[in-house]
Structure formats: structure tokens, C-alpha cells
Amino acid sequence: MHPKHRSNLINSLVPNLISAHKMWPDQAGHFLRQGLLAVFLGVVGAVPIMAAQLQLPAIVEPASKEHHVGKVIFVELVTPDLAAAKQFYAGLFGWTFHNIRAGGIEYAEAFLDGRPVAGLIHKEVPTGDHRQPAWLTFFAVDDVDAAKAVALHNGAKVLFGPHNVPDRGKEAVFADPQGAVFVVLASSSGDPPDVLATPGQWMWSSLITSDPDTDAAFYQKLFNYEVFELPASTGAQHLLLASDSYARASVNSLPANKPKVHPHWLNYVRVEDAVKMTAKVVALGGRVLVEPRVDRHGGKVAVVADPLGAPFGLLEWPVTESKEVPK
């Protein structure tokens, strides 16, 4: 069992994501129950093809010497309609794209103000298959092989073993002890710096799981996190994961009324106005899964899905707040 620290830092550090998920409507629960495991297995199925045939851009350009184990350093979307996804995210966040094609595989690198922010992969869905697209979360490590050994020893499964991706680094895909899928990446160009995300960049990642204690202990062993137990609703748990004195992610209980939701990582983009951006999602053909609501730090948070069904979050973050955790 991991040691947990009581912290009053939550009021200024981390969004109250557990409240949002506890209130998900039936529509969102139905969406997530429909083969979420198959969604991520479909995502993972695209990785070996990509690694073998695509030369992907570096995570950091120009290269840096920064390394932040446990930091979410990249996200990738697997979608059956790359053109529609690009149109949606360009309209929503102002992302621009650089297209890469090799061996019949289509990949689009997304940029915001000239900096890489995400990758989008085209993957066809067979007729009759009900898989939904999904965002896959990449965590920084120094040594992928060592991470694999720790992950296996602590109950994870290897979905795609360590492999090199030209110009990007070495990566591997795992399912944690509860089944949530994630990627570890030893970036050959270094990791992005610990600076506050700007609107349109990924701001936060939250693990929604059936056993927060077990999963927090797993990620603590894998990434050497500090784990803080935070205030949460009765019967729920909200755990903060931190490293290098910086808040990295949270681990939250599955909604009590949605026990069949598969454990998964959910990533949030920083926005200036969650209400306006939620309306924009709808105008662009997406859906609202969790209506905007005030967070404990004073901003608002919402959960939405793009027109193809991939879920992600929208998160306001006051410029006066920091994600640093005092020692």
C-alpha cells in the first residue's frame, strides 16, 4: 500500500475531477460502457504498424536535456476519420497539422503556435465494429525496459513490448492492474519543460478506476510518485500523483452508479472559458458528456466527445494558480 499524505494544497493545485465524473449522465455512461476495452485494444493495434512504417516527429524540437519521469508528455488519437478529426480540433483549438504518410498509414502531427501538441492516427473500423476512437496517454520514463520489468512485477500486462520509433525514442504499451491502457516513452529529444500549459494545450490527466488505492500504488512504483489523498465525496477517492514537486495527474473512483465503466485515462485541455468551448464543441459536431461545472479551484471543468466519439476534458485554470507542490 502506498503512503498517502493529507494535503490542503488541493484548493490551489488540482481540479475536482471526481465530482465531475460522479455526476456523469446516462448518456456518458452508455458511451463508455460500449466496449471501452476494445477501443483501447484498437488503439494499441495501430501502434506496431506505426512503429514499423512511420518516422514520427520528435517530442521536443529543438531537443532538450530535460527529463521528468511520470510526466504526461504526449497524447495520440486513433480515429476512423482523420480528415473530420483534423477539421474538428482545428476549429476548436486552432491546431494546425503536418501530414505524414507511409505504407498506407496516415498520421497527422498537431501543432499549436508551432509546438507539437498531439498526434492523430487514421485507423479504419471494420463494418459492424462498434469501437470508438480514443486518446492514448504517454508518460515519460528514462528506461523503457526497466519500466516494463516494474510494470510486470506489479500486475500490469504488456500490450506491445518495447520498440524504437525513429526520431521519437523508445516506447511500450501497457494495461495497468485494473486494465487502463497507457504508453511509456523514453523520448530521444528530452521531455517538455514543466511550465503551465497555454489554452489549447493538454493540462491534466485523470485515471478513472475501480480501485484507486491499488492503481495509485502501481503508478507510484512505476514512476516514483508522491501520492496525496485529497478530499472527495463520501464513498469516493481522489488521489493526487506528483513528482519533481509538480502535480502530474489524479486517480479517481469510478462513478458509483456506473460500475461497468472500464478503467481509463482521461486527458484535459486547458481553455479560457469552458462554457463557450463546450458550446463550440456542439457547434462543431461534438457532444457534451459532462456539463461545465465550477471546480474547487474556482474555474470550470467539462467532459466532451469529438464527432467520432473520442472523449476528452475542458479545464479552466486561473493564471494565478500553480501546479507546483511545495516540498
Side-chain angles (χ1 to χ4, degrees):
M1 182 66 66
H2 59 79
K4 291 181 290 188
H5 309 280
R6 276 283 175 191
S7 174
N8 59 8
L9 300 173
I10 185 60
N11 290 329
S12 61
L13 281 176
V14 183
N16 183 17
L17 302 181
I18 188 65
S19 296
H21 290 287
K22 187 176 179 62
M23 297 296 290
W24 277 21
D26 289 342
Q27 176 188 9
H30 174 77
F31 164 79
L32 289 170
R33 283 196 299 271
Q34 296 303 306
L36 189 54
L37 179 58
V39 169
F40 284 113
L41 292 181
V43 170
V44 172
V47 176
I49 299 174
M50 287 187 346
Q53 301 183 30
L54 290 181
Q55 186 166 354
L56 302 178
I59 295 297
V60 179
E61 294 180 349
S64 76
K65 295 183 179 180
E66 291 197 39
H67 294 282
H68 304 288
V69 173
K71 177 184 176 72
V72 175
I73 57 173
F74 204 62
V75 292
E76 285 186 338
L77 173 70
V78 175
T79 177
D81 192 334
L82 186 59
K86 288 164 54 181
Q87 182 177 9
F88 173 79
Y89 290 102
L92 187 62
F93 298 128
W95 292 354
T96 58
F97 298 91
H98 171 66
N99 299 318
I100 304 170
R101 187 182 182 94
I105 303 300
E106 295 180 77
Y107 186 94
E109 183 85 351
F111 293 85
L112 181 67
D113 297 328
R115 291 173 293 180
V117 67
L120 287 71
I121 313 156
H122 180 265
K123 183 175 175 60
E124 294 290 346
V125 177
T127 302
D129 196 321
H130 298 293
R131 296 179 189 177
Q132 298 281 359
W135 286 97
L136 190 59
T137 309
F138 288 64
F139 292 86
V141 295
D142 289 329
D143 187 324
V144 173
D145 293 302
K148 174 185 173 182
V150 173
L152 286 174
H153 183 72
N154 289 282
K157 294 181 180 179
V158 178
L159 301 181
F160 187 50
H163 56 282
N164 291 306
V165 180
D167 293 338
R168 176 156 291 183
K170 191 171 185 177
E171 63 182 43
V173 186
F174 304 122
D176 73 20
Q178 308 307 314
V181 178
F182 65 100
V183 183
V184 298
L185 172 63
S187 170
S188 57
S189 60
D191 299 332
D194 276 337
V195 296
L196 192 64
T198 60
Q201 292 182 325
W202 299 97
M203 176 74 189
W204 192 250
S205 296
S206 180
L207 176 63
I208 316 303
T209 180
S210 54
D211 190 340
D213 274 325
T214 296
D215 256 346
F218 167 79
Y219 288 99
Q220 182 182 43
K221 292 172 183 175
L222 186 60
F223 299 131
N224 197 31
Y225 285 137
E226 287 187 272
V227 180
F228 296 86
E229 185 175 14
L230 307 174
S233 305
T234 302
Q237 285 185 279
H238 186 134
L239 305 175
L240 169 68
L241 307 178
S243 65
D244 297 334
S245 300
Y246 209 77
R248 301 295 182 196
S250 63
V251 181
N252 300 323
S253 304
L254 282 170
N257 61 337
K258 306 294 180 189
K260 294 184 180 180
V261 173
H262 195 276
H264 61 283
W265 280 96
L266 183 67
N267 301 297
Y268 289 74
V269 177
R270 185 182 178 193
V271 297
E272 293 180 338
D273 189 321
V275 173
K276 289 183 179 179
M277 290 299 285
T278 299
K280 195 172 183 179
V281 166
V282 175
L284 291 169
R287 292 184 293 147
V288 179
L289 304 180
V290 180
E291 294 287 347
R293 64 196 65 217
V294 177
D295 225 10
R296 64 180 56 169
H297 71 282
K300 291 183 178 179
V301 62
V303 181
V304 297
D306 69 22
L308 284 305
F312 61 97
L314 303 173
L315 173 65
E316 296 177 4
W317 190 268
V319 295
T320 56
E321 302 294 352
S322 170
K323 289 174 66 178
E324 293 184 10
V325 181
K327 294 181 180 180

